Amino acid sequence: MQTRMEAVDIAVVALYFVLVLAIGLFAMWKANHSTVSGYFLAGRSMTWVVIGASLFVSNIGSEHFIGLAGSGAASGFAVGAWEFNAILLLQLLGWVFIPVYIHSGVYTMPDYLSKRYGGNRLKVYFACLSVLLYIFTKLSVDLYAGALFVQESLGWNLYLSIGLLISMTALLTITGGLVAVLYTDALQAVLMIGGALTLTIMSLIKVGGLEGVRTKYMQAIPNVTAIMAAGNYTYSPSCRIEPKPNSLRILRGPLDEDIPWPGFLLGQTPASIWYWCADQVIVQRVLAAKNIAHAKGSTIMAGFLKILPMFLIVIPGMISRILFTDEIACIGPEHCLAVCGSKAGCSNIAYPRLVMAVMPVGLRGLMMAVMIAALMSDLDSIFNSASTIFTLDIYQTVRKAASQRELLIVGRMFVVFMVLISIAWVPVIIEMQGGQTYLYIQEVAGYLTPPIAALFLLGVFWRRCNETGAFWGGMTGFTLGAIRLILAFLYRQPLCDQPDNRPSFIVQIHYMYFAAGLFWISGLIAVVVSLCTAAPDDEQVRTTTIWGLRKLVKVPPKDRDEVYRLTEKNQCNGSGGYYKDIPADVKRERFLDGAEIKLLVPYTDHDPATPSTETSPASTPADQPAFKKMDRIRAEPGFHGKEERGPCMRFVDFFCGYKEEPQGGPQTTAQEDERLVAELLYESPRVKLILNVALMAVCSVGIFLFVYFSL
């Protein structure tokens, strides 16, 4: 087996980099990212195909190729349960949460909490928690997984290769914003699926198809005698080297150490609801859709794509154990350290080891490009979404009068800050115990995110829940979860040849059951405290709950070319003839940056960072809740139109994609805003029927896969 790539493989990887940078530069020149809406939400003009591909690629990062395949090698089909669960939860996002987010008009998920409950306590708490989760779980594990693959396939210097990947990803995100992220994700989706499918087919042929996997995986037991004879290794019977008896089932008994089915349904599902329905990385993509039909179509497409990881990643991980049993299923800490550099286990090298053994020259370069695509996709998603949350929910809370130009530059600079943290975190990642990295992510998320899921579900479905109840419910759950997480880090699982002296409540209570307790305790406290305190105002819940959608009369959109009306030119300049006078809402769409875009929320003057309950039609336009961020530059004190800037400032403006906008932007009335929302949430009967049929199909497939792989 060759352990290094050749010149042809390196050329394929280099070609991939050229393509990605070309797309990023094209997005920098063409995209509407000189406004906050354009940079952070891609001008809300994306189609369902682009968003669906981006959802899939943003989720399938390098930690999936390393962690998901590694868990497949270690414990069989079980880890595929997360993928099948996502098929169903994506539809919850498209049919329940996204319409509410559109109706309420939000950029970020912390902003939704602020609008739904009022105040800034929940908003700032969730924003800080999200950024920390991005950096120390997603970002750290991605870097570890990418470093492991580079080490296995290329033997490059770890710091140089990881630093280069982070820098290129940050450059792409800084220059192109979400448009660049979405379009490169579309390219990476094709690359990922094509390369992984090629590897899966070649691997299945080697082991005799899916039935061969089922049979040979249960026989993949390392040859202890040969291994001990080849090196000075010891073997302890406490180190499990045989495949688990229930490896070919995804949902297992209630006391199973991997996936107990009650814990998965009651505890892991709330944590997954946070990820799929309230995490900025995912929701920000769907909010970039042209309208609700494209938003729903994207979640359906992503749901069908989520069928693939079981076959493209988990099963190849199991095949890797079959082909390299003595390496993947190492017999003890010393043997594992010699094979992969980690005493905890070598299951994480399953996928890169399979790539280097099965793929021919050239295709190995393709798979390296796939891994780079996965790493860069996850990183650019984290960079863009974390900068969005930091800029709009943390920074602007401190600087309420920040101009649009300042917000855009701060967003880019925060990406640079995250790059520095990421590179500094690499030594910690290298020293991190191998184990099953995918389950490490799920465990950390299981201790911190169920209370957030409870707050979002109560906010969307129960009008009576107020800020006081939500705050104390969330804080109680966070405190309990943080204590349990700290204890989990203090009492780490010992090596397999050492006795387990951890407290019984840590050893015997699965983290999924603890997550279930956090979810229900947080929700119960929020309900009790809400019932004991004043109810929220009707206007506060009018656009932020699912019940408000039932009262909204949805109308078909106007033909934008027919709503222009002819007006005499001499009203403006005294010359004869006519010109097209564009209505205010159409002006808003057409002149954000000289490009025709649609917004999934109406434009008014209210700053979303500042909660307001004055949303009634009787209030003035300046009081309506929407996005003054897009026009903040016009109201900035001391702004006098186009100014001459020095070469350095012009370069900064060019790099950040900032352009001066004309003064005197059009204003809209409350009635026009409501009309625009009603249009954006409108679905024609034919489109609605198609979407509902597709919904039934994707949900049926998800349930069938759960049943099939659990029998």
Side-chain angles (χ1 to χ4, degrees):
M1 180 185 71
Q2 284 185 295
T3 58
R4 294 291 181 268
M5 292 189 178
E6 299 185 9
V8 176
D9 300 313
I10 304 300
V12 172
V13 177
L15 178 62
Y16 163 77
F17 274 109
V18 171
L19 285 174
V20 168
L21 286 179
I23 291 175
L25 290 173
F26 177 79
M28 182 176 68
W29 280 101
K30 296 294 184 182
N32 171 47
H33 62 277
S34 63
T35 61
V36 174
S37 175
Y39 176 72
F40 291 128
L41 295 180
R44 300 185 186 264
S45 59
M46 295 292 108
T47 60
W48 63 274
V49 175
V50 174
I51 297 174
S54 183
L55 284 172
F56 177 73
V57 178
S58 299
N59 170 244
I60 303 296
S62 57
E63 90 283 353
H64 273 68
F65 283 98
I66 296 297
L68 209 61
S71 293
S75 59
F77 288 145
V79 74
W82 275 273
E83 306 305 302
F84 297 153
N85 203 30
I87 297 175
L88 306 177
L89 296 181
L90 274 164
Q91 312 322 312
L92 181 67
L93 169 67
W95 261 258
V96 176
F97 283 88
I98 288 297
V100 174
Y101 295 153
I102 294 173
H103 194 197
S104 59
V106 292
Y107 274 110
T108 66
M109 297 303 93
D111 192 28
Y112 171 76
L113 289 179
S114 178
K115 288 194 171 187
R116 168 60 181 87
Y117 293 112
N120 282 326
R121 295 190 299 181
L122 288 171
K123 175 181 176 179
V124 173
Y125 152 66
F126 183 48
C128 294
L129 178 62
S130 297
V131 171
L132 290 176
L133 283 170
Y134 291 154
I135 294 175
F136 296 110
T137 58
K138 295 182 180 181
L139 200 55
S140 62
V141 174
D142 270 343
L143 291 177
Y144 171 75
L148 194 60
F149 193 92
V150 171
Q151 191 176 45
E152 279 287 313
S153 57
L154 294 177
W156 288 356
N157 179 275
L158 216 54
Y159 295 97
L160 177 63
S161 57
I162 293 303
L164 178 65
L165 291 175
I166 295 175
S167 301
M168 291 192 64
T169 306
L171 180 64
L172 174 70
T173 305
I174 288 172
T175 54
L178 188 59
V179 171
V181 170
L182 289 171
Y183 280 120
T184 53
D185 279 356
L187 168 67
Q188 290 163 356
V190 176
L191 194 64
M192 245 188 237
I193 294 173
L197 183 62
T198 302
L199 178 63
T200 300
I201 293 173
M202 296 177 68
S203 302
L204 284 172
I205 292 174
K206 279 186 171 291
V207 298
L210 190 58
E211 285 305 315
V213 173
R214 290 178 176 272
T215 302
K216 295 178 180 179
Y217 179 82
M218 300 305 296
Q219 301 169 355
I221 303 173
N223 189 332
V224 176
T225 304
I227 293 174
M228 294 178 66
N232 187 23
Y233 305 121
T234 59
Y235 168 68
S236 172
S238 61
C239 294
R240 179 186 297 141
I241 58 175
E242 301 87 2
K244 299 174 183 177
N246 52 7
S247 294
L248 302 182
R249 295 182 179 179
I250 58 173
L251 293 184
R252 302 171 180 177
L255 299 180
D256 185 79
E257 63 180 8
D258 290 324
I259 302 187
W261 71 264
F264 183 84
L265 296 180
L266 299 177
Q268 183 57 49
T269 298
S272 297
I273 289 176
W274 161 77
Y275 180 80
W276 288 110
C277 301
D279 181 31
Q280 186 70 19
V281 170
I282 299 299
V283 176
Q284 184 173 354
R285 274 146 183 74
V286 186
L287 286 179
K290 295 170 69 173
N291 53 44
I292 188 61
H294 282 274
K296 290 182 176 180
S298 69
T299 61
I300 291 174
M301 176 182 174
F304 280 115
L305 289 177
K306 287 296 287 181
I307 299 171
L308 298 178
M310 172 64 92
F311 301 95
L312 301 187
I313 303 178
V314 178
I315 290 177
M318 298 171 67
I319 294 174
S320 184
R321 176 175 177 136
I322 295 171
L323 298 178
F324 314 108
T325 306
D326 289 350
E327 299 172 351
I328 305 300
C330 47
I331 64 171
E334 293 83 4
H335 183 219
C336 294
L337 185 65
V339 171
C340 64
S342 171
K343 291 184 177 181
C346 290
S347 62
N348 284 330
I349 67 169
Y351 201 86
R353 191 62 57 96
L354 186 68
V355 169
M356 300 305 295
V358 173
M359 300 289 271
V361 175
L363 288 182
R364 262 183 279 166
L366 174 64
M367 287 310 299
M368 181 64 186
V370 167
M371 291 302 302
I372 294 174
L375 176 63
M376 291 185 66
S377 174
D378 239 22
L379 292 180
D380 66 26
S381 300
I382 294 166
F383 288 154
N384 190 277
S385 298
S387 66
T388 302
I389 288 179
F390 176 80
T391 304
L392 302 184
D393 294 315
I394 299 177
Y395 182 80
Q396 201 174 46
T397 301
V398 179
R399 278 189 54 81
K400 297 184 183 299
S403 68
Q404 173 178 277
R405 181 172 180 271
E406 182 179 344
L407 292 176
L408 290 171
I409 293 176
V410 167
R412 269 69 161 193
M413 292 304 102
F414 185 70
V415 171
V416 176
F417 174 72
M418 292 185 67
V419 167
L420 297 177
I421 292 182
S422 303
I423 296 176
W425 197 250
V426 169
V428 180
I429 301 163
I430 296 173
E431 296 299 324
M432 188 174 65
Q433 294 294 330
Q436 297 186 45
T437 57
Y438 189 77
L439 297 184
Y440 159 79
I441 300 173
Q442 304 304 329
E443 182 176 2
V444 173
Y447 293 141
L448 298 178
T449 60
I452 295 295
L455 299 190
F456 272 88
L457 288 171
L458 287 172
V460 168
F461 288 101
W462 193 41
R463 286 176 290 195
R464 183 62 177 77
C465 191
N466 59 22
E467 194 271 347
T468 305
F471 176 76
W472 288 110
M475 288 299 101
T476 301
F478 172 75
T479 302
L480 295 175
I483 292 173
R484 180 63 177 85
L485 181 61
I486 293 172
L487 291 175
F489 279 113
L490 291 177
Y491 296 100
R492 298 306 298 167
Q493 183 176 357
L495 297 175
C496 65
D497 61 349
Q498 297 176 359
D500 192 345
N501 296 320
R502 294 177 296 168
S504 58
F505 71 90
I506 291 181
V507 176
Q508 297 178 5
I509 300 179
H510 198 281
Y511 78 88
M512 290 185 184
Y513 288 121
F514 194 87
L518 287 179
F519 176 76
W520 295 105
I521 290 173
S522 300
L524 180 62
I525 291 177
V527 169
V528 172
V529 175
S530 294
L531 292 175
C532 295
T533 52
D537 298 335
D538 290 339
E539 288 297 328
Q540 192 175 353
V541 299
R542 184 173 64 89
T543 63
T544 56
T545 65
I546 195 171
W547 312 111
L549 292 170
R550 301 176 63 182
K551 300 178 182 179
L552 181 67
V553 179
K554 305 174 184 65
V555 295
K558 303 175 184 176
D559 186 338
R560 287 318 202 208
D561 290 328
E562 293 183 0
V563 295
Y564 304 160
R565 61 180 183 274
L566 295 178
T567 307
E568 290 185 327
K569 280 187 178 179
N570 57 19
Q571 292 179 357
C572 297
N573 54 21
S575 59
Y578 294 85
Y579 75 100
K580 287 184 177 180
D581 181 25
I582 307 175
D585 59 332
V586 182
K587 281 183 183 179
R588 184 65 230 159
E589 294 178 11
R590 287 184 175 261
F591 295 113
L592 273 176
D593 189 29
E596 294 190 28
I597 63 171
K598 282 187 176 182
L599 298 176
L600 280 185
V601 291
Y603 166 78
T604 59
D605 274 348
H606 184 266
D607 180 2
T610 305
S612 173
T613 58
E614 299 297 321
T615 57
S616 64
S619 58
T620 63
D623 293 328
Q624 302 303 315
F627 300 101
K628 189 174 181 180
K629 294 184 183 76
M630 295 181 293
D631 276 342
R632 176 85 65 180
I633 185 67
R634 298 195 188 99
E636 184 179 355
F639 178 75
H640 302 293
K642 194 169 184 177
E643 300 177 6
E644 286 296 326
R645 300 183 185 277
C648 293
M649 294 306 299
R650 285 201 300 270
F651 173 77
V652 171
D653 289 346
F654 165 77
F655 184 72
C656 291
Y658 176 76
K659 301 175 186 176
E660 299 279 2
E661 293 186 55
Q663 298 186 60
Q667 303 296 322
T668 60
T669 65
Q671 290 77 11
E672 289 172 329
D673 291 342
E674 292 182 0
R675 166 83 186 192
L676 183 57
V677 169
E679 291 177 358
L680 294 169
L681 290 173
Y682 174 78
E683 300 169 85
S684 67
R686 179 183 178 185
V687 170
K688 191 171 185 177
L689 176 62
I690 294 173
L691 289 173
N692 288 337
V693 170
L695 172 67
M696 295 298 296
V698 73
C699 291
S700 299
V701 169
I703 295 172
F704 169 78
L705 290 172
F706 259 118
V707 174
Y708 176 79
F709 282 99
S710 296
L711 295 178

